[in-house]
């Protein structure tokens, strides 16, 4: 039995997306993550390793159980960037409001002379 | 940090004007205050940032040469108190119609003279899910990790500028 490679690759990515979606609901064991997925347990573990390397999930041992959860550090750079970005943007917005408060727009100025 | 979703980015600022004017300037005058360095089009100078004033409207920038780059869409349009923009730039910093995070901005009158502007950028965990889905075509450990590293590099250089 053979599958086109691209389909297998897409399935691999969809599986990881599904894993992340399940973990967003809360921490899960490998067994819970694998439930209902058409993928073998070793394959799930392989996907989890890849997600762990990307710092999107983190693993914790509770006795003999391995619990996986979302690791926010993988998205921390993005979040930090957005945080700074919105701070700068809102500051610029407030400055623009102030600027317009100081110099109310003149109606005469807004009417543009049309030039050929 | 909590163990599941990535917390939203929340910001607020007070401006000394009415909610009506604050809303109008925020949504209608974006090109006047949107940080200039933040453009999807480094080739031409930006002429306008436009959020079409209706739910379902486009949110995009236009360069002086007429080139348009879409950022997302207007999801909720409730002047003068609330607007929700769909920010559809993925972790590769590309517009992607299949990807969406929400930016909700509220304008509340404090004392009749000033307006409290609060902003929430949420659904950030979707960047993770999307990163996993995106790699369909070029799926390898190297490629997938490369995507996230690429994002980090873009984010760092943007933050440094």
């Amino acid at each position: 039995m053979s599958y086109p490679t691209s389909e297998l690759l897409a399935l691999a990515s969809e599986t990881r997306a599904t894993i992340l979606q399940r973990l967003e609901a809360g921490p899960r064991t490998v067994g819970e993550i694998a439930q209902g997925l058409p993928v073998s347990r070793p394959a799930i573990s392989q996907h989890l390793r890849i997600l762990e390397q990307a710092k999107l999930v983190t693993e914790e041992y509770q006795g003999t159980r391995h619990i996986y959860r979302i690791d926010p550090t993988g998205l921390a750079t993005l979040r930090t960037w957005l945080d700074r970005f919105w701070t700068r943007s809102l500051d610029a917005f407030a400055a623009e409001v102030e600027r317009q408060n100081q110099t109310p727009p003149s109606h005469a100025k807004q009417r543009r002379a049309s030039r050929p | 940090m909590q163990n599941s979703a990535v917390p939203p980015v929340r910001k607020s600022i007070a401006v000394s004007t009415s909610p009506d004017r604050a809303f109008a300037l925020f949504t209608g005058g974006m090109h006047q205050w949107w940080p200039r360095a933040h453009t999807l089009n480094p080739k031409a100078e930006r002429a306008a940032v436009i959020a079409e004033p209706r739910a379902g409207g486009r949110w995009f920038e236009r360069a002086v040469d007429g080139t348009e780059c879409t950022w997302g869409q207007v999801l909720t349009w409730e002047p003068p108190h609330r607007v929700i923009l769909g920010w559809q730039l993925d972790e590769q910093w590309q517009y992607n119609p299949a990807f969406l995070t929400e930016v909700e901005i509220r304008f509340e009158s404090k004392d009749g003279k000033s307006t409290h502007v609060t902003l929430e950028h949420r659904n950030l965990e979707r960047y993770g899910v999307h990163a996993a889905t995106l790699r369909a075509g070029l799926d390898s450990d190297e490629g997938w990790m490369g995507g996230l590293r690429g994002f980090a590099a873009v984010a760092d250089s943007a933050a440094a500028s």
Side-chain angles (χ1 to χ4, degrees):
Chain A
M1 194 157 74
S2 78
Y3 292 100
T5 312
S6 62
E7 272 179 37
L8 274 184
L9 293 175
L11 179 64
S13 290
E14 274 170 33
T15 302
R16 288 205 285 270
T18 305
I19 291 171
L20 284 171
Q21 270 157 355
R22 288 185 177 185
L23 291 177
E24 269 163 30
R28 298 273 189 278
T29 62
V30 184
E32 289 164 341
I33 293 166
Q35 231 162 48
L37 286 178
V39 186
S40 70
R41 285 282 281 273
I44 294 284
S45 296
Q46 178 63 28
H47 286 307
L48 283 166
R49 253 195 303 282
I50 292 168
L51 290 170
E52 238 183 317
Q53 282 164 8
K55 297 198 187 306
L56 288 170
V57 308
T58 176
E59 184 185 10
E60 182 192 317
Y61 301 94
Q62 287 182 1
T64 54
R65 303 191 332 152
H66 293 197
I67 312 284
Y68 289 87
R69 61 182 77 227
I70 293 277
D71 180 355
T73 54
L75 295 175
T77 308
L78 166 77
R79 198 179 170 284
T80 304
W81 188 90
L82 285 170
D83 195 281
R84 285 192 218 141
F85 169 76
W86 285 120
T87 299
R88 268 198 304 266
S89 297
L90 284 190
D91 284 348
F93 167 67
E96 178 60 20
V97 171
E98 277 311 309
R99 195 185 66 78
Q100 294 208 3
N101 281 347
Q102 311 276 311
T103 55
S106 135
H107 290 289
K109 223 174 165 182
Q110 279 187 332
R111 248 181 264 127
R112 279 200 195 127
S114 57
R115 276 180 200 159
Chain B
M1 229 178 231
Q2 289 304 303
N3 56 18
S4 58
V6 185
V9 168
R10 291 196 182 92
K11 297 283 159 194
S12 68
I13 201 161
V15 291
S16 41
T17 191
S18 65
D20 289 82
R21 275 198 66 218
F23 185 95
L25 182 57
F26 193 98
T27 59
M30 261 179 204
H31 56 283
Q32 286 167 289
W33 57 266
W34 196 277
R36 227 153 237 297
H38 297 291
T39 175
L40 292 190
N41 182 357
K43 288 184 210 140
E45 203 188 332
R46 184 159 71 215
V49 178
I50 296 159
E52 293 175 340
R54 59 186 164 80
R58 282 174 68 214
W59 183 26
F60 62 102
E61 64 176 319
R62 185 186 293 136
V64 287
D65 65 2
T67 314
E68 291 181 357
C69 293
T70 303
W71 294 357
Q73 60 183 298
V74 177
L75 298 172
T76 301
W77 183 261
E78 293 170 1
H81 293 300
R82 193 164 82 116
V83 62
I84 303 179
L85 301 168
W87 170 290
Q88 296 182 278
L89 305 179
D90 65 24
E91 84 290 347
Q92 306 284 341
W93 231 234
Q94 301 284 318
Y95 167 68
N96 187 326
F99 177 75
L100 189 145
T101 59
E102 292 183 1
V103 183
E104 176 173 2
I105 308 107
R106 289 174 172 273
F107 304 84
E108 279 147 337
S109 180
K110 273 170 82 182
D111 47 17
K113 285 182 186 162
S114 63
T115 300
H116 200 61
V117 182
T118 53
L119 179 146
E120 179 177 285
H121 192 164
R122 57 188 175 235
N123 318 118
L124 301 182
E125 66 283 352
R126 289 182 190 168
Y127 275 100
V129 173
H130 189 70
T133 313
L134 242 204
R135 307 256 57 91
L138 40 138
D139 197 73
S140 70
D141 294 355
E142 186 50 41
W144 196 69
M145 299 286 284
L148 287 180
R149 274 199 295 269
F151 169 74
V154 170
D156 288 347
S157 65
S161 67

